[in-house]
């Protein structure tokens, strides 16, 4: 999953970004609204976390621009403004939720997951299952056929992305965008290397393959 964080306080931004990354998110950070808008235009995000008091373009204007341009990314406002009028204005502008500072990160993460579930119509579950493969999103564990599979964080992130898109072909560019939080040359082989490592763990010792190559297009995870 990919999150856009628009927050000008470097300490707070670092804290939130670190927590999101540990929870399996790729995080794009912008310190002002104008940069946040440019990032939102160029990369699809599963959720956006937006402060209201930003230099240059403020958070309300940013959210208005996103909605005007048809960008429907769920938005969580994160703000020190606590009045009812501020919350009402933020929600009426197009935000989906409002969390005031100071806050507990556990609550922020729960609200982020709730927004993503609502946007994707996903069931409120902490597990994803395809065939005999199950991912525990809280413990960050994978099992297949009842056997636990030890995965590195990047391998788990790729597998989660494939499972969330089960049955759909995802390109190398899409994988780069969602699994890594920095840009690569599209011709790089890092995706191929990571897919190979994941296949060795997910498919090698099982009779049916789950991860399939679609030549010229990318990869798809499906039960054959």
């Amino acid at each position: 999953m990919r999150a856009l964080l628009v927050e000008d306080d470097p300490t707070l931004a670092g804290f939130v970004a670190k927590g999101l990354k540990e929870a399996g998110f790729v995080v794009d950070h912008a310190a002002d609204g104008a940069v946040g808008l440019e990032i939102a235009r160029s990369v699809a995000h599963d959720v956006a976390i937006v402060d209201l008091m930003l230099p240059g373009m403020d958070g309300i204007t940013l959210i208005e621009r996103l909605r005007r341009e048809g960008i429907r990314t769920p938005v969580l406002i994160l703000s020190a403004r606590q009045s009812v009028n501020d919350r009402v204005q933020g929600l009426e502008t197009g935000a989906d939720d409002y969390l005031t500072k100071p806050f507990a990160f556990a609550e922020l993460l729960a609200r982020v997951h709730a927004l993503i579930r609502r946007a994707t119509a996903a069931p409120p579950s902490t597990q994803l299952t395809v065939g005999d493969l199950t991912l525990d999103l809280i413990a960050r564990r994978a099992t297949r056929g009842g056997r636990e599979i030890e995965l590195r964080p990047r391998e788990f992130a790729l597998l989660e992305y494939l499972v969330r898109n089960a049955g759909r072909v995802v390109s190398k560019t899409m994988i780069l965008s969602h699994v890594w939080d920095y840009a690569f040359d599209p011709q790089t082989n890092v995706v191929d290397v990571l897919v190979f490592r994941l296949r060795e763990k997910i498919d090698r010792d099982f009779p049916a393959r789950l991860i399939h190559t679609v030549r010229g297009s990318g990869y798809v995870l499906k039960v054959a």
Side-chain angles (χ1 to χ4, degrees):
M1 293 178 288
R2 194 175 194 100
L4 171 61
L5 173 62
V6 190
E7 169 61 61
D8 64 324
D9 182 328
T11 301
L12 180 58
F15 167 73
V16 173
K18 181 176 183 293
L20 290 172
K21 289 176 182 178
E22 289 175 351
F25 284 81
V26 171
V27 180
D28 294 317
H29 172 241
D32 65 73
V35 174
L37 179 60
E38 288 305 312
I39 295 174
R41 286 168 169 165
S42 62
V43 181
H45 294 87
D46 299 287
V47 68
I49 301 168
V50 178
D51 186 17
L52 292 185
M53 294 181 286
L54 296 167
M57 181 187 297
D58 62 41
I60 291 294
T61 304
L62 168 60
I63 296 167
E64 289 175 338
R65 292 285 296 275
L66 292 175
R67 297 312 186 222
R68 193 182 311 145
E69 296 182 20
I71 298 173
R72 308 313 304 170
T73 303
V75 174
L76 169 65
I77 289 176
L78 189 61
S79 177
R81 296 180 183 174
Q82 300 186 21
S83 74
V84 172
N85 286 340
D86 288 326
R87 293 198 296 271
V88 169
Q89 181 186 17
L91 295 172
E92 288 186 341
T93 298
D96 300 274
D97 200 356
Y98 195 111
L99 181 62
T100 58
K101 304 174 184 176
F103 60 92
F105 180 77
E107 181 180 1
L108 181 146
L109 186 60
R111 288 173 181 254
V112 162
H113 280 147
L115 289 179
I116 293 172
R117 286 198 303 268
R118 194 184 310 159
T120 60
S125 173
T126 60
Q127 291 190 338
L128 300 174
T129 301
V130 175
D132 60 352
L133 174 69
T134 299
L135 301 188
D136 183 328
L137 302 180
I138 301 300
R140 312 300 288 174
R141 293 171 59 246
T143 58
R144 185 169 183 195
R147 183 195 311 175
E148 184 170 350
I149 300 168
E150 189 172 331
L151 298 175
R152 297 176 180 176
R154 193 82 72 185
E155 294 167 348
F156 189 94
L158 171 59
L159 184 58
E160 179 182 349
Y161 183 59
L162 291 172
V163 169
R164 287 186 181 277
N165 290 276
R168 291 186 289 182
V169 177
V170 293
S171 68
K172 292 182 182 180
T173 300
M174 293 167 66
I175 292 173
L176 284 170
S177 174
H178 280 77
V179 177
W180 277 267
D181 57 356
Y182 45 93
F184 277 105
D185 179 343
Q187 302 304 314
T188 183
N189 70 340
V190 293
V191 172
D192 302 302
V193 171
L194 187 60
V195 169
F196 174 81
R197 290 204 327 243
L198 189 59
R199 275 178 165 153
E200 286 291 291
K201 297 181 178 183
I202 296 298
D203 285 340
R204 185 180 60 182
D205 297 329
F206 296 89
R209 290 188 301 125
L210 290 177
I211 302 173
H212 304 267
T213 299
V214 180
R215 195 170 301 278
S217 298
Y219 302 95
V220 60
L221 187 143
K222 64 180 181 179
V223 178

